[in-house]
Each structure stands twice: as structure tokens, then as C-alpha cells.
Amino acid sequence: MMTTPARIRVAIQIPPSRADYAAIRRAAAQADALGADAIFNWDHFFPLGKDTSGKHFECWTMLGAWAESTSHAAIGALVSCVAYRNPDLLADMARTVDHVSDGRLILGLGAGFREWEAKEYGFEFGSPAQRVQQLGEALHRIERRMTLLNPGPVRKLPILVAADGAKALRLVARYADIWQTFAEDDAFSEKSRLLDSYCDQLQRDPATIERAVFVDGDPWTVGTRLRERGAGMFTLMTRGPDFNLDGLRRWLAWRDEHNAQASRS
């Protein structure tokens, strides 16, 4: 069953790299003022790409600052590697940032993929199967810890899980409110159907999981095609040091047009 969400959201990922923090802060504030639904950074220790020598800042410290410097958009990491922090501590950190932001945090989680980066910081880096198992264990502990914290998060904290493999998709079906994928077009539809089947096994309504995709290009072409396949959140990336937001403006215009049509139907 393919579910097309009634309303769509547009997000932007602002990497915490290749720029001074003042420029990153301005970009986040501008995205917030433009009306982005969510603003994400990422949880790495070095810039992505071939040149890893550029400027780079830590993810969660920055999210705490964004919680104060933005007002409307959801904020979060896309995504936070569960191997880099004790899961119970990570739940506590997320709960705290959720309060600082007045309930705007999305807790994005993943198994990690950069072995050299993990080892550079002294973290163990297991096989793909071991990392997925670690992700499952972390999700369980985070879910439990959220029920024990005083106070708890402002609301039921939305969990985003980045996953594409079958075993990880089972975790999405069990724990996630948002599924983040790198898959496109037919591959996205195939993985989305697989996720639906796992939801059916758990007797969970697949429509309760928002499908999030990375996008680029013309939203009236790319976005419309992916929306017809069930995507609900569309995430662009901008890069430092300039952080051009022209693409975000186009995607927000497309979002507003489609959501207005949906509200009239």
C-alpha cells in the first residue's frame, strides 16, 4: 500500500563545516525566517568529501545553540551516530534540547558509516550487522530512558531513523516516526513497500511513518514525482562557506502551492 501524505514538509541540512560558526548561525536563522519546516546539521567530526581538513564543529553543542537562535523550524541532526554516545545520555541530551527549543527537536539516529572517523576519535566500529544491532539496542534504551527522565521531553519526541537495509528497516517500523532514506524513484518505492510490510507484521499503520528523502533540482518535477511515491519530507543541502538558500526558496514555494491545493480538496 502506497500512502501519499496530505501535507508535505521541506527541510534543509546546514553542515557544521567549511565555515565560521557566525555564518552557520546566520544560515540557520535565514532558513527559519523563510519558513523551513526543519533545519538539520550532521553528526560527524570532519567535513564530508575528499578534503577533510576544513573547519568543522560538533553536532549537539550546535543544536543547543540553534534551540535558542531559531524560533519556528524543527531542529535536529541528520543523523546522530548511536556509537558516539551512551544511548541513555543521548536521550537526556535530546530531552534537554527539546525543552530549550520549546519542543522542536527531531531526534535523528543512524548506525554510522565512516570507519576512519570513528577510529580517529577512539570509537569501536563494527561490521554492518553489528552496527545495525547496536542501533536497535540504542533505540530500545533511548525509548526506555525517555520514560524515566524528569521532566520528560516536551511532547512525544519524534524519532527519525536513517536506514536502507532490510534489518534496519525493521527498526524503522518498530521505533521511528520518520524514515530517512537515500533511495530514489523505483528504489525508494521498493524500500517503502518493504517498510509497509514490516509495519503490517507489527500491526502498525504505515501512514504513521513519514517518508523523508534528499532532493535537488526542480521541485515541480523532482518533488512531485517523489510525493506521488509517498515521500512527505524533502530535504535539501546547502554548503559553506556561503550557504546559498535559493533552492530552499523554490522548494518552499512548491510546498506552499501543494499544501494549499491539499487543503482545498
Side-chain angles (χ1 to χ4, degrees):
M1 177 181 68
M2 186 172 296
T3 302
T4 300
R7 297 184 64 81
I8 60 177
R9 299 200 287 173
V10 169
I12 188 161
Q13 187 177 51
I14 300 174
S17 63
R18 305 192 191 284
D20 293 328
Y21 179 68
I24 297 169
R25 182 178 57 229
R26 283 195 300 270
Q30 290 168 1
D32 191 44
L34 287 170
D37 293 293
I39 305 170
F40 296 110
N41 60 12
W42 65 35
D43 191 16
H44 292 287
F45 304 128
F46 301 90
L48 295 183
K50 293 182 179 179
D51 180 10
T52 62
S53 63
K55 298 175 181 178
H56 201 280
F57 296 98
E58 195 275 328
C59 160
W60 277 95
T61 311
M62 185 172 292
L63 288 176
W66 283 5
E68 292 283 10
S69 64
T70 62
S71 303
H72 306 291
I75 58 173
L78 194 60
V79 289
S80 193
C81 177
V82 297
Y84 294 164
R85 297 163 194 85
N86 175 291
D88 293 84
L89 173 61
L90 182 56
D92 202 344
M93 293 165 58
R95 176 280 308 253
T96 300
V97 174
D98 193 48
H99 277 267
V100 176
S101 67
D102 294 323
R104 293 185 290 118
L105 183 75
I106 295 173
L107 179 52
L109 301 170
F113 67 91
R114 296 181 94 190
E115 181 174 7
W116 74 267
E117 178 180 76
K119 290 185 175 180
E120 175 70 20
Y121 268 61
F123 293 104
E124 296 293 331
F125 192 86
S127 67
Q130 289 171 327
R131 298 200 306 277
V132 171
Q133 180 180 353
Q134 186 178 31
L135 175 61
E137 292 169 352
L139 285 162
H140 175 74
R141 288 175 60 180
I142 289 168
E143 183 179 68
R144 176 181 176 276
R145 181 55 54 185
M146 288 294 180
T147 68
L148 301 174
L149 292 168
N150 183 16
V154 174
R155 80 287 195 223
K156 195 282 180 186
L157 196 63
I159 303 294
L160 178 152
V161 175
D164 280 312
K167 290 183 179 180
L169 283 172
R170 290 184 183 274
L171 297 176
V172 174
R174 168 66 180 83
Y175 292 101
D177 303 287
I178 307 168
W179 166 48
Q180 178 68 55
T181 177
F182 284 94
E184 300 177 348
D185 296 332
D186 289 345
F188 168 70
S189 295
E190 181 180 349
K191 292 178 185 295
S192 191
R193 285 191 292 268
L194 182 60
L195 175 59
D196 289 349
S197 71
Y198 293 151
C199 288
D200 290 341
Q201 292 172 18
L202 295 171
Q203 298 183 322
R204 178 179 182 181
D205 181 0
T208 62
I209 301 177
E210 185 176 25
R211 319 298 164 105
V213 292
F214 287 102
V215 290
D216 194 7
D218 176 37
W220 281 269
T221 301
V222 176
T224 300
R225 183 175 69 243
L226 285 166
R227 184 173 185 273
E228 290 172 351
R229 293 174 181 266
M233 181 184 285
F234 302 82
T235 302
L236 296 89
M237 180 188 291
T238 182
R239 292 174 172 82
D242 298 325
F243 299 114
N244 189 316
L245 300 183
D246 290 345
L248 176 63
R249 293 181 175 89
R250 290 192 296 273
W251 280 82
L252 291 175
W254 170 78
R255 176 202 66 184
D256 293 344
E257 177 182 300
H258 277 263
N259 285 346
Q261 291 174 354
S263 66
R264 292 194 295 266
S265 62

